[in-house]
Amino acid sequence: MSLLIGARTEELRALTWAHVDLDGQPDADPSIPPSIMVWRSVRIGGDTKTEKSRRTLALPRLCVVALRGHCERQALARKKAGDLWQENDLVFASKHGTELDAANVRRAFRVILKKTDLNENDWTPREMRHSFVSLLSDSGMALENICRLVGHKGTVVTEKVYRKQLRPMLLEGVKAMDQIFPQA
């Protein structure tokens, strides 16, 4: 989720199913895509990091598919836990329905990394959010739009801390000049 929508892990750990819409309203005019409402965090008091961090994010198809499968697996976990399950409506919960802490997330992330060619010492869950910013930037999305998606007040933190330029060559100038002075 962090890689595909840029949400902070602290926001996703607090996400409830009541704040997830996997269907949207495709027949509305204009249509409303599936989305999540990032309105809470695991921070003290449950508030998001900043006021700008409260946002509703449309979900890419891959997220919708993953969340539907996750919902089914969570239903099985709830059934298996029986009386030990504590219903908190959390999307990402422990095997007993309780809130995950940062260590739970890091541990689960390392398990996933071990199944890949990536070095588990080089990656943390936070890197997914940084990758989100870098990938969008490299695709040509305006920094102002990326900053809104990740819930930053302005572009400075997005650009200086999160964005790692994947394509070091600046292409905007040549594209503009080729359009202004097309070949004959």
Side-chain angles (χ1 to χ4, degrees):
M1 295 282 292
S2 289
L3 177 64
L4 295 175
I5 62 170
R8 296 173 178 92
T9 55
E10 67 192 47
E11 295 165 339
L12 294 173
R13 288 174 25 222
L15 183 64
T16 62
W17 286 108
H19 289 108
V20 175
D21 177 1
L22 294 178
D23 299 315
Q25 296 175 24
D27 297 332
D29 187 24
S31 66
I32 300 171
S35 62
I36 66 167
M37 293 170 263
V38 182
W39 294 352
R40 300 177 58 245
S41 172
V42 294
R43 292 173 168 268
I44 295 173
D47 205 1
T48 55
K49 188 172 182 180
T50 68
E51 198 171 305
K52 288 268 190 186
S53 295
R54 281 184 229 117
R55 61 211 188 277
T56 300
L57 299 169
L59 291 173
R61 286 184 303 273
L62 188 56
C63 282
V64 172
V65 170
L67 282 171
R68 286 187 196 284
H70 178 69
C71 185
E72 291 172 9
R73 288 186 299 280
Q74 191 175 64
L76 293 173
R78 183 182 292 112
K79 187 175 180 179
K80 182 178 178 181
D83 292 340
L84 295 176
W85 185 266
Q86 297 177 36
E87 187 53 62
N88 291 299
D89 196 37
L90 293 170
V91 174
F92 303 105
S94 73
K95 65 181 180 180
H96 294 122
T98 57
E99 190 175 272
L100 297 171
D101 64 20
N104 296 127
V105 174
R106 285 190 304 271
R107 207 171 15 259
F109 191 69
R110 281 194 299 268
V111 168
I112 293 167
L113 287 174
K114 286 180 182 180
K115 297 176 183 178
T116 72
D117 292 336
L118 299 173
N119 182 343
E120 67 181 270
N121 296 319
D122 292 340
W123 290 86
T124 65
R126 178 187 48 205
E127 307 294 338
M128 298 297 98
R129 183 170 155 87
H130 287 246
S131 296
F132 171 81
V133 170
S134 299
L135 289 167
L136 288 183
S137 177
D138 200 50
S139 77
M141 182 177 281
L143 197 55
E144 294 79 12
N145 294 338
I146 298 170
C147 143
R148 283 190 7 254
L149 290 170
V150 293
H152 288 160
K153 287 182 185 178
T155 60
V156 174
V157 171
T158 309
E159 183 172 23
K160 302 250 187 247
V161 177
Y162 283 82
R163 183 173 73 171
K164 312 294 188 267
Q165 197 62 40
L166 301 176
R167 187 182 312 161
M169 186 181 298
L170 300 175
L171 302 174
E172 294 84 1
V174 73
K175 288 178 184 177
M177 286 300 162
D178 282 347
Q179 287 178 347
I180 294 169
F181 300 105
Q183 282 187 328

